[in-house]
Amino acid sequence: MSETLAPEKEATVTVAVMNQLSTAKDVRAESPLHHAELDKLASRNPRAGGVSLRELKLLGHLTLRGSQQNQSFMNGCAEVLGVALPTLPLTSVEKGSVSIRWVSPDEWLVVLPADQAFEVERGLRAAIEGHYQVVNVSGGQTILELSGPNARDVLKKSTVLDVHPSQFPVGKVAGSVFAKSTALVRRSGEDTWELVVRRSFADYIWLWLQDASREYGLVIKH
Amino acid sequence: MLHIYCPHCCELREEEEFHAKGQAHIARPLDPDNCTDAEWGNYVFYRKNPRGLHHEIWYHSTGCRKFFNVTRDTQTYAIKEVYKIGEQPQVVAEG
Ligand SMILES: [Zn+2]
């Protein structure tokens, strides 16, 4: 007798949701690049350079998974996040301090201020029915922002993506190879690019970016 | 380097972003407990190795992390078509 893996009836699952990003003053949070002391570097920087780097650190990152056919999922997300999930492949939306990146037809990455992550996660769980997933991955990754006239040149050395403006308009998102690691790349402005990188690869990518941007001059920003 | 169209990202990407996952359309026996050793062995180990058209599974590992099917000519490396899991190939070998 072979058994079916799909449950016959939608079971009610109770999930313990923890606030992973404590906003209490006495809890010290460290970004994956804490040891690089980017703030110190920023204060004794050269003023000019072709590439600027800034860590968009300690933000809330939520991975959402669900079917576009599940109305409750799509509506619940739109309602709680204040903006509909982008369904067009490789696109992103931004509203206020919340940005949503398309990752795959059934996966999105929501980035928002850390102190909103817990509320939003709870809101999503209350609003959505059926088969879906919300995971707070804030501790597992960080965002590096590259900007400046040579930011695109640094990307060209680092990834196999076609980052020509005709192929990579502002707002586009693409996951790809980045150096010998991976990154979710988003063009957030004319000369501004955001890399979502894994925590454990953050130091490697920081070292890689310093090397790759040396010839253009690297400016660290707060 | 192959230039592969991902049917989920809907654009051509470099081969480096993908992993090849071998022959496509291998049906798992419906009743594994009652398979003969030969049937189970064929399912687990035996694969086609054609010279010419081959249907393969590919995985967009650094992109959308979805699996999909590719019909590829193993002689010329030309990709004839890309189609989603659950779909059937349009380009098939003659005979
Ligand atoms: Zn893809």
Side-chain angles (χ1 to χ4, degrees):
Chain A
M1 270 283 286
S2 46
E3 288 167 41
T4 168
L5 291 172
E8 286 181 7
K9 204 163 153 279
E10 200 71 56
T12 311
V13 185
T14 311
V15 185
V17 186
M18 261 172 49
N19 187 358
Q20 299 184 28
L21 292 160
S22 173
T23 44
K25 291 278 179 289
D26 55 341
V27 178
R28 192 180 66 162
E30 292 186 357
S31 91
L33 290 182
H34 176 78
H35 63 287
E37 302 189 310
L38 296 179
D39 283 344
K40 266 191 202 166
L41 294 177
S43 53
R44 52 174 146 85
N45 250 328
R47 294 258 173 251
V51 187
S52 295
L53 174 74
R54 180 163 77 112
E55 185 189 9
L56 307 179
K57 63 183 178 186
L58 302 175
L59 292 169
H61 294 228
L62 300 176
T63 291
L64 297 185
R65 299 210 61 174
S67 166
Q68 294 186 28
Q69 269 69 55
N70 177 355
Q71 282 305 313
S72 168
F73 174 71
M74 296 305 282
N75 294 341
C77 288
E79 189 186 309
V80 174
L81 299 169
V83 56
L85 298 178
T87 54
L88 202 63
L90 310 176
T91 59
S92 64
V93 294
E94 207 171 332
K95 193 178 180 200
S97 50
V98 178
S99 62
I100 308 175
R101 291 156 177 77
W102 182 98
V103 177
S104 110
D106 57 10
E107 180 174 346
W108 291 265
L109 174 66
V110 178
V111 175
L112 72 181
D115 58 359
Q116 289 175 23
F118 185 46
E119 270 321 298
V120 167
E121 184 179 355
R122 280 207 298 202
L124 290 168
R125 290 185 186 282
I128 306 170
E129 282 172 7
H131 187 63
Y132 72 98
Q133 187 183 49
V134 184
V135 183
N136 186 330
V137 293
S138 309
Q141 50 200 31
T142 191
I143 301 180
L144 300 176
E145 184 196 75
L146 290 175
S147 56
N150 295 113
R152 200 159 62 87
D153 297 317
V154 171
L155 293 176
K156 283 197 263 184
K157 294 187 194 182
S158 313
T159 174
V160 293
L161 286 171
D162 187 347
V163 290
H164 190 273
S166 66
Q167 298 301 309
F168 215 117
V170 174
K172 181 170 173 175
V173 177
S176 186
V177 176
F178 199 92
K180 296 210 181 291
S181 176
T182 58
L184 186 62
V185 180
R186 173 173 178 251
R187 188 171 173 206
S188 52
E190 214 36 57
D191 274 337
T192 315
W193 304 75
E194 292 170 353
L195 313 173
V196 179
V197 299
R198 295 289 177 116
R199 182 177 198 101
S200 51
F201 283 102
D203 181 59
Y204 163 72
I205 290 188
W206 154 238
L207 296 174
W208 172 276
L209 290 174
Q210 287 177 82
D211 184 56
S213 53
R214 186 158 295 144
E215 62 176 301
Y216 312 112
L218 179 63
V219 181
I220 309 297
K221 289 196 169 166
H222 287 289
Chain B
M1 285 288 286
L2 296 173
H3 214 192
I4 302 171
Y5 184 88
C6 171
H8 301 286
C9 293
C10 302
E11 68 176 20
L12 286 162
R13 294 287 187 84
E14 296 288 332
E15 183 184 343
E16 234 182 292
E17 294 188 1
F18 300 87
H19 280 302
K21 290 290 185 180
Q23 186 184 329
H25 306 294
I26 298 170
R28 184 184 168 87
L30 289 173
D31 194 357
D33 292 343
N34 292 313
C35 274
T36 64
D37 284 353
E39 283 169 337
W40 190 250
N42 281 339
Y43 165 67
V44 175
F45 299 113
Y46 283 76
R47 297 292 178 262
K48 289 178 183 159
N49 186 19
R51 176 174 175 171
L53 290 183
H54 190 35
H55 307 291
E56 305 172 322
I57 293 181
W58 282 74
Y59 174 46
H60 196 183
S61 48
T62 70
C64 61
R65 300 195 286 264
K66 291 280 180 200
F67 291 81
F68 58 95
N69 300 309
V70 170
T71 303
R72 189 174 63 91
D73 189 319
T74 58
Q75 207 173 344
T76 63
Y77 278 34
I79 291 173
K80 301 296 186 185
E81 65 176 339
V82 163
Y83 55 102
K84 290 179 183 171
I85 296 293
E87 295 175 356
Q88 291 300 313
Q90 302 296 311
V91 183
V92 290
E94 284 172 33

